[in-house]
Amino acid sequence: MGFFSSLLGFCGFGVGISAGLVIGYYLFIYFQPADVKDPAIKPLAEQDAETLQRMLPEIPLWVKNPDFDRIDWLNKFIELMWPYLDKAICKTAKEVTKPIIAEQIGKYKIDSVEFETLTLGSLPPTFQGMKVYVTDEKELIMEPSLKWAGNPNVLVAIKAFGLKATVQVVDLQVFAIPRITLKPLVPSFPCFAKIFVSLMEKPHVDFGLKLLGADAMSIPGLYSMVQEIIKDQVGNMYLWPKALEVPIMDPAKASRRPVGILHVKVVRALKLKKKDLMGKSDPYVKLRLTEDKLPSKKTTVKHSNLNPEWNEEFNMVVKDPESQTLEFSVYDWEQVGRHDKMGMNAIPLKELTPEETKTMTLELLKTMDANDAQNEKSRGQLVLELTYKPFKEDELAKEYSEDANAVEKAPDGTPSGGGLLVIIIHEAQDVEGKHHTNPYVRILFRGDERKTKHIKKNRDPRWEEEFTFMLEEPPTNDKLHVEVVSRPPSIGIHSKETLGYIDISLADVVTNKRINEKYHLIDSKNGKIQIELQWRT
Amino acid sequence: MSFFLGLVLGIAFGVGLVIAFVHSENYRSKRRSDLAATIAAFARMTVEDSRKILPPESYPSWVVFSQRQKLNWLNAELTKIWPFVNEAASELIRTSVEPVLEQYRPAILSSLKFSKLTLGTVAPQFTGVAIVEDGGDGKGITMELELQWDGNPSIILDIRTRLGVALPVQVKNIAFTGLFRLIFKPLVAEFPCFGAVCYSLREKKKLDFTLKVVGGDISSIPGISDALEGTIRDAIEDSLMWPVRKVVPILPGDYSDLELKPVGTLEVKLVQAKELTNKDLIGKSDPYAVLYVRPLRDRMKTSKVINNQLNPVWNEHFEFVVEDAETQHIVVKIYDDEGLQASELIGCAQLRLKVLQPGKVKDIWLNLVKDLEIQRDNKYRGQVHLELLYIPYGTEKEILNPFANPNFSMTSLERVIKSADGAEVSEIDRAHSSRKKDVIVRGVLSVTVISAENLPAMDVMGKADPFVVLQMKKTETKNKTRVVNDSLNPAWNQTFDFVVEDGLHDMLTLDVFDHDTFGKDHMGRCILTLTRVIMEVVGPRVPLHEGFALLLAPLQRPVRQTVPAVVERDASGGEVQAGALLLPEEIVRGREVLEIGQLAHGRGDHPAQRVVGQVELLHSAQCSQAERYRAHQLVEAHVEHLDLVKEAHLLGETPGEVGVDEQQLLEAVRELPDGRRQRPPQIVVREDHDGGVNGGADVGGDDGGEAVVVDENGVQAPGEEGRWEGPLELVETEVEVLEGGEGEDLWREGTHESVVAEVELEEGGEVDEGRGEDPAEAVAVEVEDGEVGEPAEAVREEPGDVAVVEVDSGHDLGGGVVPGGGAEDAEVVTHVRPDPVGGEVGWVGIDDELPFLESQEGFGESRVVVMRMLVIIIIMGGGGFGMAAEE
């Protein structure tokens, strides 16, 4: 009997708990409003001392550390922009998820999944400081301290089998110090090729996840578990030295390496206009690629000919077929005086198909201005044959994608046990001569002397020159003598001056393979020189 | 039973569980929102916050809340990336800057191109950034970025001159400091959340660069250096300087509303110039004027060349488009035409458009200076006379435009005719809007020359035999009055009619001559444009050419007004100005009304000046002044409880100076404070306590650096003088207890001098005078207890002079007369006698009821307008005459 009653009691308790949970759920959760309140932000000065004490741990990094710079202006900027950013981000998020959802719901027999509300809230992310690191490499490193304690409200309604369930994410909080590295730096806007983002510490993530209106994260233990999972996941992916890589531009393109060759055959010109008073014109053609510093190419001069045939071929190096244009102008040669321009035109290289020879007959124009009335007059025609041959991938010189820090392999034919010593003279700072400062660098290695170009009147010269020495064995006991010398001006009484020198022991290079450092120059006031040494085996 | 017990317990437990859960949920939620609030609060931390949070003993030294935040991190990165930017930007700059340079290219060059461009090794540094809270219209974000660049770029310009000489010019050592304004606008809900970026140079603090011809000296080709430097400056300043801005569209869309739009037209009538410096060795200069609002080649207007004349009269009309009336200037440059050689600059002047009231004609004399930016020299280069009218778009109809609107003085008869024929009206309106320049105002100008006063004696014996020659400039019709024999205050009362063909562009010149048996002597002249007469809006004075003041006032206005002392802040070319006798309706923004009996001056003559004058409880005979002569000066004067003979002066006389002085309750009666300036950049405030019983003070500087103090011999000979002969001197003299027959003079002979004289307790027959004989002088005279018949005068004979006269308790004829001889004159008069005395006060009026006007029919595009007005003009001063004009 006792057993039966206690069994009944247990049953009653079980039913009661379920009923109680259901009653409680409806009383305290279901009918509570689901919207998120905007936290009231009071200026700190209005807080009492106790509250301030509690807030103190969150004090921004730029206040705590002198090496973090204050960027509250950026906070202000984001704050003003935030309402719009919020909408833009949410719009993009909806657009991105839409096809994914559409694909997924079919699989799971869900009627619909849609965002009931999607907003990032009124609080923008804030940056509590910015720190930069200056290294000798071609890279920019910055570490903003990001704290986003927002009040987003993402409410997803899932409908399946005639039922509706909601999942709501509120109060997302992310604190992280990402390290943003821009590298390599390239001489073309925006001046860097890739962005690497990695996290220096595991980020702090907190949020409220409401399933059917109840915050699942409030279940004891669950929150810390979820947080650990997130931290580990993110950590595995992006924790330094792992990084998220965002390519901005193709470094090969940015560095303006040749990517192909343009064969131009100037065939003939037709119906050129007479320019000379006596006799006919003496035409020749000048060819030039835009954005190219090379001198233009010229055909021979065909004397007294208004329909000249040249049939001359030229090869031109193409660096960017998308933007470069072949310009050609026909000139009238003169024995004395300026050569008259008889007409011109241009062909954008993107009009050409690679590996295909195209014969073009082009009208000669007075100017390249499309609206110029003077262009209506006929000035003759020019016939060209053009072929664009891009280099094969393997023809392209070394791949840039490989990390600049990695030391390349020595070329074939290097004796075993030996290797290639590469010395890159980057730049110097604060070198100053008594009478003149036209510095160049002289390198002495095992009696071998090499010199860089000299740079005129510059106290902070940049050479960026590379020297290689093929060696039979590692230069463990050798020293490299580097000397900055100023070349005297060509006219003048002063002789050359030494601006400073440094002896570098090469033992470290052999063990480290690569060293990129600034050295203080001896016999110089403040002079420094940046030298990169590589030992390739 | 136990089931139910279990059930109840279960429910209780279940509900309890949920409550506990909700509680924990709420707790977590509250913690999160607290944290969010904390983070947000820290993001907008202010000084007070940090002071409150951080104890003072451990307050970090690096926590600085500056107006503009430092960008050290960005500078570090920029330095690093600069070599790459240099390489990448060179081509970009070349393609984007070349067209801009072309726009500002001076005529002397035929081409201007970059042949080499490197930005050098020194990266610009951002010295500060701030987000500007611009009232929060929510439409955009304004960011201000302070940039400093002491770069070593090498820019080689390939220059071809008209003469066919090509030369490479190197621009190097650029030093630039400026404040850029970036506006992100409009904000949209699409990445990157702003439609376009506008950038503009908000403030240029410094721009220096060196020009060098590669392999030669730039001075080998005269004029090139200046032209080139001017071009580069113009290109940078005018293409970037706020309000001009560049708009970079980020998202596709129409951003034309962000571009600088014309907001109005500025109509400028270049009337005349006078006393120009002679630049020619033989003969006189051949002046012409160049006027512009923006120095774009196609928007600069050039006047005719007037040969061999230092007082040229152009009478030319120009129109300019105004983009931002708040910040733009009208610039006048007067050159001497040298034929084949490059023209030589005589002087230039500028006026902020801000000072113009829309729709109101401003008649102004501007002093010419050498350089608009560097106002170092005070040499007098002459003055130029302009009439300016600014009309914002959209208000043309409301504003009476004398230059364009022909409807202003339509008679009632005409109105009736027009309204009867509606079609005609619209036609006229259309004609008006489309061809407003074709409007010609024609009519009959009727001028009555009434009288002149105080003409200078010209004859050896006796006085003078004056007569007036009236001449219309365009039609060259001349009229003469009769000769009044032997009088310095002649009355003619003669009326002349002129047929005016083009009222807007015509002028009336009045010359007073002394009739001699043989020939005639010129006694003075004034020039009147008809603008005011046509407009019916007439100010209190009209400038005359050679130091006469002309009082004009509309007839229909009440003659007697309580005229308060008014301090006027007037922006004009660097002159000294004081208050002006203003009619109440002219007391406008920028002018303060002081109470009667108090005299205070706050003057700002130049843009960027600010003067604050505050005077309390001045007793009679006390005077405090704050004067400003040059731009950028700031003076604040505050004087309390001054007793007799005590004065406080605040002076700053050179740019950049600030003088603040407060002097309270000087004790002994006979102490005289002197303030002297001996060298231009000095400020001296001095109190002199050992004046002694008979002490007077004579303060003089005869030459740069000298000061002379002479003790006088007591009350019987109280004449005293303060003389300045060098520029920028200041003299203040104070004389007390003058008795009968005593007078005192204060003279100034150099430019920019200032004299303050104070005279008390004048008795019958005494006259005080403060004279300034040179431009830019200031004279303040104060006279009390004047009795019948005693006039007090402050006389100014040159434009730019200022006179301040105060007369207390004047009886019948005792009055204060304040003439100002030039356009820039300004006077403060308090206690003007209660009733105007015939002939002493004049006004100009228009009275529709006067019967004797007729209308004429126009032809073609021109219209005939019938004007009726009566002009009575009284001139006083060193010489003058009166006239009445009627049109």
Side-chain angles (χ1 to χ4, degrees):
Chain A
M1 196 57 197
F3 167 74
F4 187 66
S5 81
S6 35
L7 188 71
L8 268 182
F10 274 116
C11 290
F13 189 70
V15 174
I17 279 189
S18 325
L21 286 174
V22 170
I23 292 165
Y25 172 73
Y26 278 97
L27 269 182
F28 296 104
I29 297 172
Y30 189 79
F31 291 114
Q32 299 301 314
D35 35 300
V36 179
K37 275 179 287 173
D38 285 352
I41 295 148
K42 274 201 283 181
L44 293 167
E46 289 173 19
Q47 304 279 11
D48 52 60
E50 196 189 333
T51 326
L52 283 179
Q53 196 57 41
R54 213 167 17 122
M55 290 166 109
L56 216 49
E58 297 302 328
I59 202 157
L61 273 177
W62 71 269
V63 178
K64 279 191 223 166
N65 301 333
D67 53 349
F68 275 88
D69 280 315
R70 181 181 175 212
I71 44 171
D72 282 2
W73 62 272
L74 189 62
N75 291 336
K76 180 93 198 161
F77 188 84
I78 297 173
E79 187 187 320
L80 292 170
M81 192 81 96
W82 187 245
Y84 302 91
L85 269 175
D86 176 21
K87 279 183 205 141
I89 293 169
C90 293
K91 206 168 103 189
T92 319
K94 276 184 187 168
E95 274 163 16
V96 168
T97 48
K98 216 173 180 178
I100 302 172
I101 291 170
E103 192 186 309
Q104 297 290 325
I105 53 174
K107 281 187 199 164
Y108 299 101
K109 294 188 179 154
I110 296 168
D111 294 339
S112 74
V113 174
E114 57 187 44
F115 290 106
E116 273 197 353
T117 45
L118 176 60
T119 163
L120 298 178
S122 59
L123 296 177
T126 62
F127 290 97
Q128 298 206 330
M130 170 75 95
K131 189 178 181 180
V132 294
Y133 296 91
V134 179
T135 63
D136 291 337
E137 306 296 330
K138 285 182 186 171
E139 61 185 7
L140 302 181
I141 304 173
M142 48 192 139
E143 274 186 23
S145 153
L146 171 81
K147 286 201 176 178
W148 185 34
N151 51 348
N153 185 4
V154 183
L155 183 61
V156 184
I158 303 163
K159 283 184 189 157
F161 311 112
L163 294 172
K164 183 183 149 191
T166 59
V167 178
Q168 189 182 16
V169 177
V170 291
D171 296 348
L172 181 64
Q173 304 193 330
V174 180
F175 298 174
I177 302 186
R179 170 174 288 183
I180 300 169
T181 309
L182 310 177
K183 70 177 180 183
L185 301 181
V186 290
S188 149
F189 277 115
C191 294
F192 49 88
K194 280 175 192 167
I195 304 176
F196 294 88
V197 182
S198 60
L199 298 170
M200 299 314 289
E201 288 163 24
K202 286 186 181 174
H204 160 85
V205 182
D206 191 1
F207 55 89
L209 178 70
K210 290 190 177 176
L211 297 167
L212 303 168
D215 187 356
M217 288 295 118
S218 297
I219 296 167
L222 188 64
Y223 164 64
S224 52
M225 199 176 85
V226 168
Q227 206 183 23
E228 279 311 305
I229 292 171
I230 292 173
K231 278 186 181 175
D232 285 347
Q233 285 296 318
V234 174
N236 284 342
M237 286 163 75
Y238 302 124
L239 200 62
W240 195 83
K242 290 201 181 73
L244 170 75
E245 185 182 323
V246 186
I248 297 295
M249 60 194 304
D250 185 6
K253 201 165 143 191
S255 62
R256 301 237 153 232
R257 280 159 187 281
V259 291
I261 282 191
L262 180 71
H263 297 282
V264 186
K265 185 174 178 190
V266 182
V267 185
R268 68 175 79 83
L270 302 166
K271 297 174 219 155
L272 293 176
K273 286 286 161 259
K274 206 176 112 172
K275 279 273 179 187
D276 288 3
L277 284 176
M278 316 273 283
K280 294 169 180 169
S281 299
D282 311 316
Y284 70 96
V285 183
K286 261 189 184 177
L287 299 161
R288 180 179 172 267
L289 275 178
T290 49
E291 297 171 42
D292 207 347
K293 297 200 170 74
L294 297 172
S296 46
K297 314 220 169 190
K298 285 182 211 168
T299 64
T300 52
V301 180
K302 300 283 174 194
H303 289 285
S304 291
N305 198 340
L306 291 181
N307 294 297
E309 285 222 15
W310 285 284
N311 280 323
E312 289 178 37
E313 284 189 38
F314 302 95
N315 288 331
M316 303 176 106
V317 176
V318 178
K319 287 175 178 164
D320 181 11
E322 286 303 307
S323 69
Q324 280 189 303
T325 302
L326 175 70
E327 288 181 349
F328 57 86
S329 345
V330 183
Y331 282 87
D332 176 24
W333 179 86
E334 299 281 339
Q335 184 82 49
V336 185
R338 250 172 78 179
H339 297 190
D340 294 322
K341 194 191 254 186
M342 300 173 75
M344 63 183 294
N345 209 331
I347 307 159
L349 296 190
K350 59 184 174 201
E351 287 180 9
L352 302 175
T353 330
E355 308 288 350
E356 199 174 289
T357 306
K358 199 169 176 183
T359 310
M360 301 181 113
T361 308
L362 291 155
E363 290 291 332
L364 293 177
L365 306 172
K366 165 98 178 177
T367 56
M368 287 312 294
D369 185 354
N371 302 321
D372 200 330
Q374 288 173 305
N375 285 341
E376 284 166 19
K377 199 174 115 188
S378 163
R379 294 171 182 274
Q381 291 166 325
L382 188 70
V383 182
L384 297 169
E385 269 177 33
L386 298 168
T387 321
Y388 172 56
K389 284 190 178 162
F391 293 129
K392 301 267 181 326
E393 283 303 310
D394 50 347
E395 279 179 56
L396 280 176
K398 71 174 171 188
E399 247 329 293
Y400 235 87
S401 61
E402 131 186 32
D403 197 342
N405 292 354
V407 180
E408 288 172 45
K409 291 275 176 291
D412 296 335
T414 313
S416 58
L420 195 66
L421 178 70
V422 180
I423 300 161
I424 303 166
I425 307 292
H426 286 291
E427 58 181 27
Q429 285 167 355
D430 279 336
V431 289
E432 193 176 6
K434 236 182 222 152
H435 304 291
H436 46 84
T437 310
N438 307 315
Y440 67 93
V441 178
R442 210 171 126 243
I443 300 167
L444 271 175
F445 178 67
R446 290 186 180 169
D448 218 354
E449 189 188 282
R450 306 279 177 94
K451 278 181 195 167
T452 65
K453 273 188 259 172
H454 75 276
I455 292 173
K456 270 188 199 161
K457 285 190 189 168
N458 203 329
R459 298 181 49 203
D460 305 305
R462 283 174 66 88
W463 294 283
E464 302 290 351
E465 284 186 50
E466 192 176 307
F467 303 94
T468 52
F469 296 93
M470 187 76 78
L471 302 177
E472 298 284 329
E473 74 276 354
T476 323
N477 301 318
D478 282 300
K479 277 200 170 175
L480 179 73
H481 179 79
V482 179
E483 196 177 324
V484 183
V485 189
S486 172
R487 202 180 97 151
S490 47
I491 318 159
I493 46 161
H494 302 294
S495 54
K496 70 178 178 187
E497 281 179 41
T498 303
L499 306 181
Y501 69 92
I502 178 84
D503 285 313
I504 304 165
S505 161
L506 295 175
D508 288 343
V509 183
V510 175
T511 44
N512 288 310
K513 304 288 184 205
R514 179 177 181 277
I515 290 179
N516 184 5
E517 252 182 65
K518 274 197 182 117
Y519 300 92
H520 278 278
L521 288 168
I522 301 169
D523 280 356
S524 168
K525 260 186 204 157
N526 298 310
K528 279 186 215 168
I529 186 162
Q530 188 187 343
I531 300 172
E532 184 176 336
L533 300 165
Q534 292 181 8
W535 173 243
R536 296 179 187 169
T537 50
Chain B
M1 190 57 215
S2 53
F3 174 75
F4 285 106
L5 188 70
L7 189 70
V8 170
L9 272 176
I11 289 173
F13 188 69
V15 171
L17 211 60
V18 172
I19 289 173
F21 177 74
V22 167
H23 187 74
S24 113
E25 188 186 299
N26 287 344
Y27 168 71
R28 273 179 44 79
S29 160
K30 185 176 178 302
R31 226 181 48 178
R32 279 196 304 261
S33 86
D34 278 352
L35 187 61
T38 310
I39 300 284
F42 273 121
R44 50 189 90 161
M45 191 159 85
T46 60
V47 197
E48 295 81 50
D49 295 344
S50 71
R51 295 272 169 211
K52 188 154 185 200
I53 294 168
L54 303 164
E57 60 271 18
S58 60
Y59 196 82
S61 59
W62 58 85
V63 174
V64 175
F65 290 84
S66 49
Q67 204 179 5
R68 296 205 175 86
Q69 288 173 36
K70 296 265 180 291
L71 282 170
N72 295 339
W73 63 276
L74 191 60
N75 290 332
E77 301 286 52
L78 198 61
T79 312
K80 179 96 189 171
I81 207 173
W82 188 247
F84 301 92
V85 173
N86 176 20
E87 218 168 308
S90 297
E91 185 67 22
L92 194 79
I93 291 174
R94 186 198 304 249
T95 48
S96 63
V97 174
E98 247 173 30
V100 177
L101 273 183
E102 183 65 15
Q103 217 179 352
Y104 294 91
R105 169 170 62 85
I108 190 166
L109 305 176
S110 65
S111 113
L112 187 55
K113 288 207 158 37
F114 288 113
S115 70
K116 195 183 152 214
L117 196 152
T118 53
L119 295 176
T121 52
V122 183
Q125 298 288 295
F126 293 101
T127 46
V129 64
I131 304 286
V132 180
E133 318 240 6
D134 48 353
D137 58 348
K139 299 272 161 48
I141 300 173
T142 308
M143 191 161 112
E144 287 197 339
L145 204 57
E146 213 173 48
L147 185 90
Q148 189 180 334
W149 188 33
D150 283 311
N152 56 348
S154 167
I155 299 165
I156 296 181
L157 292 167
D158 207 13
I159 288 169
R160 274 171 210 283
T161 59
R162 286 263 177 256
L163 305 169
V165 186
L167 68 163
V169 174
Q170 190 184 18
V171 183
K172 56 182 206 176
N173 297 337
I174 295 181
F176 173 80
T177 310
L179 185 61
F180 279 94
R181 172 168 278 197
L182 298 170
I183 304 172
F184 300 86
K185 204 176 180 181
L187 297 181
V188 291
E190 192 182 333
F191 285 117
C193 294
F194 44 88
V197 186
C198 300
Y199 64 91
S200 170
L201 188 58
R202 180 80 182 87
E203 198 183 320
K204 183 204 70 178
K205 297 206 172 107
K206 186 183 163 196
L207 173 66
D208 285 332
F209 50 84
T210 319
L211 286 179
K212 189 186 158 198
V213 172
V214 181
D217 182 13
I218 195 153
S219 54
S220 58
I221 301 171
I224 288 284
S225 175
D226 286 344
L228 201 58
E229 190 163 337
T231 306
I232 295 171
R233 280 183 190 278
D234 282 353
I236 292 173
E237 280 166 34
D238 190 63
S239 65
L240 268 185
M241 200 70 181
W242 184 266
V244 183
R245 73 284 306 265
K246 289 262 181 292
V247 179
V248 183
I250 304 290
L251 293 170
D254 177 27
Y255 300 110
S256 53
D257 57 321
L258 296 178
E259 304 268 5
L260 195 60
K261 288 187 299 266
V263 296
T265 18
L266 178 71
E267 313 235 4
V268 179
K269 192 174 216 175
L270 173 67
V271 185
Q272 54 175 332
K274 65 176 181 184
E275 292 152 14
L276 298 175
T277 320
N278 195 359
K279 292 277 180 188
D280 284 4
L281 286 176
I282 306 160
K284 293 170 184 163
S285 298
D286 309 320
Y288 69 94
V290 175
L291 296 96
Y292 59 85
V293 174
R294 289 180 62 187
L296 289 165
R297 248 185 311 152
D298 50 346
R299 286 177 54 180
M300 291 164 89
K301 307 275 169 71
T302 308
S303 77
K304 288 178 294 206
V305 178
I306 311 257
N307 282 333
N308 208 23
Q309 179 60 266
L310 294 180
N311 298 304
V313 178
W314 286 288
N315 194 31
E316 282 184 69
H317 187 87
F318 304 100
E319 249 188 48
F320 298 95
V321 176
V322 174
E323 278 102 353
D324 183 12
E326 281 295 302
T327 56
Q328 285 186 316
H329 296 79
I330 172 84
V331 176
V332 189
K333 289 189 171 174
I334 297 182
Y335 292 92
D336 176 21
D337 184 53
E338 301 262 10
L340 287 174
Q341 285 176 302
S343 297
E344 199 173 346
L345 181 73
I346 296 174
C348 48
Q350 66 176 5
L351 181 76
R352 295 181 81 149
L353 302 185
K354 206 175 165 182
V355 305
L356 301 177
Q357 287 178 55
K360 233 176 161 189
V361 175
K362 175 129 185 158
D363 193 318
I364 196 162
W365 281 93
L366 295 172
N367 257 29
L368 295 173
V369 292
K370 187 178 183 185
D371 194 304
L372 293 175
E373 282 187 29
I374 312 157
Q375 309 211 328
R376 200 171 290 136
D377 73 331
N378 316 301
K379 202 178 138 196
Y380 180 66
R381 290 161 193 280
Q383 290 186 311
V384 61
H385 183 190
L386 300 175
E387 270 180 24
L388 301 151
L389 173 68
Y390 171 59
I391 309 162
Y393 287 148
T395 56
E396 291 98 330
K397 289 216 169 55
E398 300 148 32
I399 289 172
L400 212 60
N401 182 354
F403 298 127
N405 192 339
N407 298 329
F408 48 84
S409 62
M410 231 183 306
T411 57
S412 42
L413 178 66
E414 255 199 332
R415 274 187 208 113
V416 172
I417 295 169
K418 275 186 85 175
S419 55
D421 192 350
E424 195 198 339
V425 173
S426 59
E427 200 171 295
I428 288 167
D429 283 350
R430 234 178 293 131
H432 161 227
S433 55
S434 60
R435 316 199 177 163
K436 67 177 189 179
K437 293 209 184 63
D438 296 345
V439 169
I440 297 171
V441 177
R442 307 202 308 152
V444 175
L445 177 77
S446 172
V447 184
T448 308
V449 181
I450 300 175
S451 63
E453 287 188 5
N454 297 339
L455 292 174
M458 299 297 280
D459 292 357
V460 184
M461 306 281 289
K463 296 168 179 173
D465 312 317
F467 68 98
V468 183
V469 175
L470 300 88
Q471 188 177 4
M472 293 306 290
K473 175 104 173 138
K474 276 226 158 157
T475 47
E476 300 200 343
T477 35
K478 254 189 203 178
N479 272 308
K480 261 194 254 183
T481 65
R482 66 193 161 83
V483 177
V484 176
N485 280 330
D486 205 21
S487 170
L488 292 181
N489 298 297
W492 292 283
N493 281 319
Q494 276 182 292
T495 305
F496 304 93
D497 288 346
F498 294 93
V499 176
V500 179
E501 288 291 333
D502 183 357
L504 296 178
H505 301 108
D506 215 336
M507 286 198 302
L508 174 67
T509 54
L510 303 163
D511 289 277
V512 188
F513 291 100
D514 173 30
H515 177 83
D516 285 348
T517 320
F518 306 102
K520 55 188 180 182
D521 294 328
H522 192 251
M523 296 170 76
R525 144 189 276 199
C526 72
I527 293 178
L528 276 172
T529 58
L530 303 186
T531 317
R532 280 160 185 266
V533 185
I534 295 167
M535 250 194 112
E536 309 178 1
V537 180
V538 183
R541 287 168 294 117
V542 163
L544 292 195
H545 185 42
E546 284 176 4
F548 307 115
L550 195 62
L551 288 170
L552 301 171
L555 230 188
Q556 69 265 53
R557 287 185 187 153
V559 172
R560 256 318 301 143
Q561 295 279 357
T562 315
V563 181
V566 171
V567 178
E568 181 183 18
R569 284 192 197 127
D570 196 356
S572 60
E575 297 306 284
V576 177
Q577 302 230 329
L581 170 62
L582 296 168
L583 294 171
E585 53 267 47
E586 289 176 340
I587 296 166
V588 288
R589 223 163 16 137
R591 294 168 174 169
E592 295 162 13
V593 178
L594 295 172
E595 283 180 23
I596 291 172
Q598 294 180 353
L599 182 59
H601 308 282
R603 295 166 203 175
D605 298 328
H606 217 258
Q609 294 186 352
R610 186 166 81 98
V611 174
V612 179
Q614 182 181 350
V615 180
E616 287 181 10
L617 291 177
L618 284 178
H619 295 306
S620 45
Q622 291 152 8
C623 169
S624 75
Q625 301 187 334
E627 308 189 5
R628 217 112 339 288
Y629 296 122
R630 214 66 47 61
H632 299 300
Q633 296 181 351
L634 168 84
V635 174
E636 293 179 28
H638 180 79
V639 181
E640 287 180 9
H641 293 293
L642 283 178
D643 284 333
L644 287 180
V645 201
K646 294 156 189 164
E647 289 188 349
H649 302 283
L650 302 174
L651 314 164
E653 301 204 344
T654 350
E657 292 184 0
V658 177
V660 178
D661 181 25
E662 187 170 340
Q663 226 175 313
Q664 290 185 352
L665 295 174
L666 292 182
E667 283 171 17
V669 175
R670 294 207 179 272
E671 292 172 3
L672 301 175
D674 299 334
R676 276 166 237 170
R677 220 121 331 281
Q678 295 175 353
R679 256 167 310 124
Q682 294 180 351
I683 297 185
V684 176
V685 177
R686 217 178 96 180
E687 290 175 33
D688 200 343
H689 285 272
D690 39 14
V693 178
N694 295 329
D698 190 347
V699 179
D702 289 340
D703 210 341
E706 290 182 10
V708 180
V709 179
V710 178
D711 277 349
E712 296 294 334
N713 288 327
V715 189
Q716 304 309 319
E720 61 170 47
E721 299 180 349
R723 267 168 209 266
W724 275 269
E725 301 194 343
L728 292 177
E729 295 175 358
L730 168 85
V731 175
E732 294 170 34
T733 21
E734 186 176 343
V735 181
E736 289 178 24
V737 201
L738 285 176
E739 284 185 14
E742 293 150 4
E744 57 171 41
D745 298 341
L746 302 171
W747 278 272
R748 219 112 338 282
E749 301 193 344
T751 37
H752 294 294
E753 296 175 359
S754 148
V755 175
V756 179
E758 186 175 343
V759 181
E760 289 180 20
L761 294 174
E762 292 268 41
E763 286 184 14
E766 294 157 0
V767 177
D768 290 335
E769 296 186 345
R771 265 171 209 264
E773 301 196 339
D774 251 0
E777 298 178 357
V779 174
V781 175
E782 186 175 344
V783 182
E784 286 182 19
D785 290 321
E787 284 182 18
V788 175
E790 298 155 0
E793 297 183 346
V795 180
R796 217 115 342 288
E797 302 195 340
E798 297 275 27
D801 293 356
V802 176
V804 179
V805 174
E806 182 175 347
V807 181
D808 275 348
S809 314
H811 299 299
D812 294 349
L813 285 177
V817 182
V818 182
E824 307 276 342
D825 290 359
E827 293 92 312
V828 176
V829 175
T830 52
H831 290 224
V832 172
R833 73 218 157 270
D835 302 304
V837 180
E840 289 192 353
V841 177
W843 51 88
V844 176
I846 294 94
D847 193 344
D848 259 357
E849 289 154 24
L850 291 172
F852 40 92
L853 286 179
E854 47 185 82
S855 72
Q856 295 178 344
E857 283 298 322
F859 53 91
E861 299 293 336
S862 69
R863 293 206 350 91
V864 172
V865 177
V866 178
M867 291 157 286
R868 301 178 171 192
M869 57 177 64
L870 175 67
V871 185
I872 303 170
I873 303 159
I874 307 281
I875 306 156
M876 282 168 283
F881 56 92
M883 68 158 196
E886 194 177 299
E887 187 170 0

